[in-house]
């Protein structure tokens, strides 16, 4: 994330999901669908939408120099996936570096009251203060960045010594035609049965993080949940409750759209979903971005819809 004496060249686009190894499995005409934010869209539907993104750009962020992106992640970009502790750690580490990058960018892009007043040509723009809603949003962003940086520091300390087994992982093999790729992290709020796992109103206590990836392969793929040994309260209960689902493959897709913005899908799959399932997915994603929407859509609100032809195999823990 930061330049050091071992860095070479400028910062490059890092793929949180390997382009040639995984994203290519779900691409059509070298494109996948990915969430796109267009704040100045003339219609509500266009503000957040799934749009075609080229494989060179999909799932990327500007986080590492070419040297570190190439050498540090060679084991997950080039070697066969074997669910080794080091592969699972590196997948989580790169995805979480993107979380730090995005949260910092979000705060930098958030306009203050003076800037907004000036844009609207109001008199004495320096006299304006954030509204109560804006103040809460700013506090939430600052707290989220604090917890994300703390978690990243813990991950980096593990990377420095190579103690990868401190990251506990549950891997769910998937079989069938691949259609989705995911790489991100979130703070689990409720279990799949609706049990509260962490108190989001307690801004003094850092929240525990869970990493979630779906890596598509020719024969299906792998869904991966990972969390640190010192942050198991909440994440472990979340994973165990999800594994109890009788429709696990569909629930894994629902989790991606409920919690992870960095999700890519096969274009033809999205078209074939139909209006009801598309609307359900859009609503799940919108609930995490609209501050004025009082709904709280979580994993426990899975609507029971059939999203995928993938089949989930027996989970195993590393």
């Amino acid at each position: 994330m930061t330049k050091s004496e071992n860095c070479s060249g400028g910062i490059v686009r890092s793929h949180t999901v390997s382009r040639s190894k995984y994203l290519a499995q779900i691409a059509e005409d070298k494109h996948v669908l990915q969430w796109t934010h267009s704040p100045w869209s003339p219609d509500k539907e266009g503000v957040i939408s799934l749009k075609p993104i080229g494989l060179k750009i999909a799932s990327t962020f500007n986080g590492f120099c070419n040297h570190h992106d190439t050498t540090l992640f060679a084991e997950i970009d080039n070697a066969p996936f074997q669910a080794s502790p080091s592969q699972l750690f590196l997948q989580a580490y790169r995805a979480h570096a993107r979380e730090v990058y995005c949260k910092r960018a979000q705060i930098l892009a958030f306009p203050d009251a003076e800037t907004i007043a000036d844009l609207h040509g109001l008199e004495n723009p320096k006299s304006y203060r954030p509204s109560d809603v804006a103040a809460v949003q700013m506090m939430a962003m600052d707290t989220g960045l604090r917890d994300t940086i703390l978690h990243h520091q813990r991950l980096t300390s593990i990377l420095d010594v190579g103690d990868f087994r401190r990251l506990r992982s549950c891997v769910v093999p998937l079989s069938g035609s691949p259609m989705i790729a995911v790489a991100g992290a979130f703070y689990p709020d409720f279990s799949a049965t609706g049990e509260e796992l962490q108190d989001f109103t307690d801004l003094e206590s850092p929240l525990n993080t869970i990493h979630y990836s779906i890596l598509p392969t020719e024969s299906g793929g792998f869904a991966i949940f990972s969390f640190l040994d010192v942050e198991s309260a909440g994440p472990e209960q979340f994973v165990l409750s999800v594994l109890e689902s009788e429709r696990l493959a569909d629930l894994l897709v629902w989790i991606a759209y409920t919690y992870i913005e960095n999700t890519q899908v096969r274009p033809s799959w999205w078209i074939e979903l139909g209006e009801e399932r598309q609307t359900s997915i859009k609503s799940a994603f919108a609930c995490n971005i609209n501050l004025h929407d009082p709904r709280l859509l979580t994993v426990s609100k899975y609507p029971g819809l059939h999203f995928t032809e993938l089949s989930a195999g027996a989970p195993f823990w590393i």
Side-chain angles (χ1 to χ4, degrees):
M1 290 292 290
T2 57
K3 291 183 68 65
S4 71
E5 59 184 12
N6 296 321
C7 285
S8 62
I11 301 298
V12 298
R13 288 185 179 273
S14 298
H15 283 80
T16 54
V17 177
S18 176
R19 179 179 65 179
S20 59
K21 190 174 179 182
Y22 298 123
L23 286 177
Q25 303 296 333
I26 62 171
E28 292 174 339
D29 296 326
K30 297 183 179 181
H31 285 73
V32 293
L33 294 185
Q34 180 175 290
W35 291 115
T36 301
H37 184 209
S38 303
W40 309 116
S41 174
D43 60 276
K44 181 180 178 181
E45 290 294 321
V47 175
I48 296 291
S49 59
L50 281 170
K51 292 186 177 180
I53 300 292
L55 291 185
K56 290 185 178 180
I57 300 177
S59 89
T60 60
F61 72 107
N62 300 324
F64 298 94
C65 73
N66 182 66
H67 170 73
H68 280 99
D69 190 55
T70 302
T71 59
L72 181 58
F73 303 109
E75 188 176 356
I76 57 175
D77 285 340
N78 304 322
F81 180 75
Q82 298 177 323
S84 65
S86 55
Q87 283 184 323
L88 296 170
F89 176 88
L90 290 171
Q91 177 61 37
Y93 184 78
R94 184 159 61 177
H96 198 265
R98 182 183 184 277
E99 297 292 331
V100 178
Y101 172 86
C102 289
K103 281 184 169 55
R104 282 176 172 159
Q106 181 187 39
I107 290 175
L108 290 174
F110 193 83
D112 56 29
E114 179 182 342
T115 299
I116 295 176
D118 187 55
L119 286 172
H120 287 278
L122 302 179
E123 295 183 2
N124 302 317
K126 292 185 178 181
S127 66
Y128 287 86
R129 295 291 180 268
S131 67
D132 291 342
V133 172
V136 170
Q137 189 172 6
M138 292 166 63
M139 184 184 301
M141 289 191 296
D142 288 341
T143 302
L145 178 60
R146 178 203 67 189
D147 294 354
T148 301
I149 290 177
L150 172 62
H151 184 78
H152 191 71
Q153 290 171 341
R154 289 170 174 169
L155 290 177
T156 301
S157 67
I158 291 174
L159 179 64
D160 290 341
V161 299
D163 190 10
F164 300 127
R165 288 191 176 274
R166 287 195 54 201
L167 187 75
R168 299 177 56 194
S169 297
C170 177
V171 181
V172 183
L174 302 170
S175 59
S177 178
M179 31 61 70
I180 187 171
V182 180
F186 62 96
Y187 308 119
D189 43 8
F190 291 88
S191 70
T193 54
E195 177 187 2
E196 185 177 19
L197 301 175
Q198 301 189 84
D199 184 2
F200 278 50
T201 65
D202 179 8
L203 300 183
E204 298 299 321
S205 302
L207 294 171
N208 291 337
T209 301
I210 190 166
H211 301 272
Y212 184 49
S213 295
I214 297 180
L215 307 179
T217 65
E218 290 184 2
S219 58
F222 300 91
I224 306 165
F225 294 100
S226 301
F227 52 88
L228 282 175
D229 53 359
V230 294
E231 295 186 31
S232 61
E236 183 172 23
Q237 296 95 311
F238 182 91
V239 176
L240 291 175
S241 70
V242 168
L243 297 180
E244 293 294 322
S245 173
E246 295 180 354
R247 305 185 66 171
L248 181 54
D250 288 315
L251 184 57
L252 293 174
V253 175
W254 179 252
I255 290 172
Y257 281 109
T258 308
Y259 293 101
I260 306 294
E261 168 265 338
N262 186 29
T263 295
Q264 297 80 39
V265 296
R266 184 188 298 277
S268 60
W269 169 80
W270 177 255
I271 294 173
E272 293 166 1
L273 275 181
E275 184 176 355
E276 180 185 11
R277 289 179 290 184
Q278 287 180 355
T279 299
S280 177
I281 285 175
K282 289 178 180 178
S283 297
F285 188 76
C287 280
N288 291 320
I289 62 172
N290 189 348
L291 186 66
H292 302 284
D293 193 329
R295 294 174 299 169
L296 182 64
L297 212 60
T298 70
V299 66
S300 63
K301 301 297 178 66
Y302 164 58
L305 295 174
H306 183 55
F307 293 116
T308 177
E309 298 300 327
L310 289 171
S311 298
F316 58 92
W317 289 83
I318 301 294

